[in-house]
Every structure is written in C-alpha cells, then in structure tokens.
Amino acid sequence: PQPPPHHAISLPHPQAITARITHPIKMAGTDVSQLLYQEQEKIIVQRGQLEEQFVTNAKPLEATVIKVRGTGKAGGFGKSTSSGGGSKNKASSKAEGKAHAKILKKEGVLRIDNALTPDTADAVKEHLYNLRYQSEREVQEGKIQPVQRFANVLLKHNRCDLTIPLGDEIITKALKESLCNSPVGATISSIFGDGAIFHEFSCLMSDPGSQRQVIHPDTPCVDGKGPVLYTCFIALQDVTLDMGPTVWLPRTHNKEAHEAFKDSAQSEGGGDSPKDNLIKTQPAVLGTFTKGSCAIFDSRLLHCGSANRSEDDRALFYFSFKEPQVGYTGNPASIRQELGNANVSLGELMEDLELFGKGKGSPLIDRLGGQMR
C-alpha cells in the first residue's frame, strides 16, 4: 500500500550509509556496531521500498548502436562482429571507444552488448560461485578474515561482493574479451587515457530474497571536478525484471542533481522533498540484460540494486577504473589488497591481455596472481 504523506524516512548521506564500521564497540558481550547496523538496515529497507514506488517511469537500458566509418560494423561489439573473437584494429577500436565515450559522458551510463561470449560468462559464473563457497567455508573455519575475500555491500542479507584474484585462466580470458575485444577498454581510455588505474575487481551476487537498496551514488560529486571512476557491470546470465536488475537515473552525475538528492526536507506545504521529487521525476533505466552485456557508468550517477524476487541468483562480474590524478574516491574499493596496492594502469593491463590473446602468456597478470593470498 502507498504510505501516508507523512511517511518520511530520514537517512544519512549515502557515503555515511556505506561507510565501514572499523572499530566495533563491545558492551556486555554484545557487538553494538552489529546491532546498530541491523537497525540501520531496517530503515534502509523501508526507504528502498518507498523509493520503488517513486520510480514509475523506468525502461530497459538499450544497447548503444555505434557505426564506425569504413569498418561496416554496427552496434558496438554487436552481432556483425565475432563476439569474443579477435581484437579490432586500433584505429576502429579507438573511434568506437570515442563514440561510446561521448554518450557515456552525457548520460552517465551506457550499455555494450556481447562484452563476454555466453560460454565465457557461464564459465566465469561457475568459477566465481565455487570461489564464493570456498571463501565462505574458510571464513567460517577461521582460516581467513571476511575482508580478505568479501567487500562491504549495502544490505548484506542474500547479497555479497566477492573480490576476485588474478591468475586463473578463465578470469584472464574474461578480461581479454571485455577490455580488448569489445569497446569497453577503448571507451574508458577515451576519457581517462591509458593511465587509468585498475581500481576495483569483484563480483556482485544477489541471491533470491535480496532486498532493494536505496538509491545512491558510489562517489560524491565535487564542484568543478570531472568523473573520478567508471564502473563496468557485466551480466553473467540473462537478467530479468524479477531478478533485481540495477536501476540507474541517467544524467544525475552532476552538482545540481546531487544537491537535490541530499535535500530531504519537505516543503512548507508538506509536499515532496527535492530528493523525492528528483527520484519521482527523473527517467530511470533498468539493467535487464542478456548474458554477457555490459553497463559502464559514472560512479557519481544515482543508482541502486533492486529486489531479487525470482528463484534465480544474479551475478555481475565487474571492474572499475579510476582517473589517474585522483587519490581517494570517497568510498573503499572492492578489490583484493595486493591488486589494489599494485596501481595497475589500463594500458599495462590491456598490453598484457593482448599478449595472452596471442598465446604469449601474461607476465603482469601471472606476477600479480602469484602475490594473491
């Protein structure tokens, strides 16, 4: 049922919601921080349910069709190319990336189909779920700490963020397909250059029963500053509406939208707050994707994961790249510590992946993989 007009839930700023509690307070044998988190989670769930009622104008995010002059190719890495096959020549790849980047900078989110072949997506999903089950066992047995395998995620129940190690061939293959064979790498390079830093590498897993998150940005919008981070979500299975697709609000990666989003005060007449009005009126797009499709989005863009009401799990293989001049982005990175400390650039990574594609090994990835604990 629709809540009454006074049903307003006040939440802290999104960065406060997702902040880690690093020093839990122990009192009478109780982890107070956990109790506080559970209480906060209830508020977040209620707010997410309310926001779901606000978003009534959502439609599927469609793949961008890009035609590169002289190549005869359309739809980005679409059906007219060999999905997951050989890399394009550098000129056409650069031109395609530039065209995608223009749209991405304007809208804040972009869909590219066939970033992974269906077979690769299946193999990656199987590999990562096996890794998840192994990691959960090792945590339960006290062999490792949760932070060594899992990143923090908003609304943990039936949802996890599994950080991915380098070194396994199927993971290297997936990076090669998505960054080099599809326009994803060229798109990020067109904006940040080859010096962009490999900032996150993980898999979001949403199990049946996971709740809808509140709408949030991943990083704040700083006046006078450009994008700091681009994140790439790749579906490891078809994502239907009842599986909890990601919801994005295009063109909200700017100061004006963030100012409205942070203003939860109702008007004097009891009308909608600027935040609620923004959510109600801003067009939304949904990540109802086919297997292997990729969404690239600006980390400042307002978005959320929706509730998984299906009987199937939803896994998003993802990575992000940071603007090379940026230090701390405003949120902890979902990445293995050893990999995050390496500050690997997009150019270095793609060069190594090209060697892998030619059957010449991947010395950088092998070296980094050997450092994973």
Side-chain angles (χ1 to χ4, degrees):
Q2 184 73 22
H6 64 273
H7 187 83
I9 302 169
S10 177
L11 288 175
H13 191 267
Q15 273 65 55
I17 292 173
T18 58
R20 298 172 185 268
I21 301 174
T22 55
H23 300 289
I25 303 170
K26 301 287 184 178
M27 186 171 64
T30 301
D31 186 341
V32 176
S33 68
Q34 182 62 24
L35 293 176
L36 289 173
Y37 175 81
Q38 291 172 355
E39 193 62 31
Q40 188 181 56
E41 191 172 71
K42 291 179 184 178
I43 298 173
I44 295 171
V45 168
Q46 292 174 26
R47 174 66 195 186
Q49 292 170 346
L50 184 64
E51 289 179 353
E52 184 174 18
Q53 298 175 37
F54 290 167
V55 180
T56 59
N57 53 356
K59 62 181 182 180
L61 177 62
E62 300 290 348
T64 303
V65 176
I66 299 294
K67 294 184 179 180
V68 180
R69 182 175 297 178
T71 65
K73 298 177 181 178
F77 193 51
K79 295 181 179 179
S80 58
T81 69
S82 55
S83 299
S87 301
K88 304 180 183 71
N89 66 66
K90 288 186 177 180
S92 65
S93 179
K94 185 175 181 180
E96 197 169 354
K98 185 177 180 180
H100 281 298
K102 183 178 179 181
I103 298 168
L104 180 57
K105 286 189 282 188
K106 178 181 178 182
E107 299 295 327
V109 62
L110 171 82
R111 172 176 170 176
I112 295 174
D113 281 339
N114 303 309
L116 293 181
T117 64
D119 287 348
T120 299
D122 288 341
V124 169
K125 185 172 183 179
E126 181 180 6
H127 173 79
L128 292 179
Y129 270 86
N130 287 336
L131 179 61
R132 172 185 175 177
Y133 301 143
Q134 177 187 337
S135 299
E136 289 173 341
R137 284 196 303 270
E138 291 177 343
V139 169
Q140 290 170 357
E141 293 168 0
K143 295 179 179 179
I144 57 174
Q145 294 298 311
V147 71
Q148 292 177 269
R149 296 293 181 268
F150 299 96
N152 227 22
V153 65
L154 198 57
L155 298 185
K156 301 173 185 177
H157 186 60
N158 291 327
R159 183 183 272 114
C160 78
D161 192 357
L162 176 73
T163 54
I164 303 173
L166 288 179
D168 293 296
E169 184 173 352
I170 185 57
I171 297 302
T172 306
K173 183 180 181 182
L175 286 171
K176 169 66 167 64
E177 287 185 11
S178 55
L179 285 173
C180 301
N181 298 4
S182 89
V184 171
T187 301
I188 295 169
S189 177
S190 183
I191 301 173
F192 284 162
D194 287 344
I197 300 299
F198 194 36
H199 184 66
E200 292 177 298
F201 192 40
S202 198
C203 183
L204 280 171
M205 298 173 173
S206 171
D207 302 331
S210 63
Q211 297 278 8
R212 182 186 178 95
Q213 297 175 321
V214 291
I215 292 172
H216 62 280
D218 287 337
T219 60
C221 192
V222 179
D223 192 21
K225 300 291 185 180
V228 298
L229 195 68
Y230 281 106
T231 304
C232 305
F233 281 178
I234 303 178
L236 297 181
Q237 67 291 299
D238 291 348
V239 179
T240 56
L241 188 60
D242 61 345
M243 290 173 69
T246 307
V247 180
W248 291 278
L249 304 186
R251 304 190 187 191
T252 57
H253 54 307
N254 55 66
K255 178 185 175 184
E256 294 73 23
H258 277 232
E259 286 181 346
F261 183 73
K262 289 186 286 186
D263 189 349
S264 299
Q266 288 184 314
S267 65
E268 292 183 3
D272 290 333
S273 67
K275 176 176 181 174
D276 289 351
N277 183 63
L278 174 71
I279 295 171
K280 286 181 178 182
T281 58
Q282 190 72 21
V285 292
L286 303 171
T288 45
F289 289 167
T290 53
K291 185 190 301 183
S293 294
C294 174
I296 310 176
F297 66 98
D298 189 314
S299 60
R300 300 169 298 173
L301 196 73
L302 300 178
H303 66 283
C304 69
S306 57
N308 188 345
R309 299 187 175 98
S310 74
E311 297 181 357
D312 301 308
D313 49 55
R314 174 177 64 89
L316 297 175
F317 174 73
Y318 79 93
F319 45 82
S320 68
F321 285 88
K322 183 179 69 169
E323 207 281 332
Q325 303 304 316
V326 170
Y328 183 60
T329 62
N331 242 343
S334 299
I335 194 167
R336 293 286 179 101
Q337 183 179 2
E338 302 86 355
L339 183 54
N341 290 343
N343 286 320
V344 178
S345 73
L346 174 62
E348 291 173 321
L349 183 58
M350 290 181 69
E351 183 177 334
D352 206 53
L353 293 169
E354 292 288 4
L355 288 175
F356 172 80
K358 295 174 182 177
K360 296 182 179 181
S362 50
L364 173 63
I365 288 173
D366 292 344
R367 176 173 61 81
L368 292 169
Q371 298 172 5
M372 301 288 163
R373 293 195 297 268

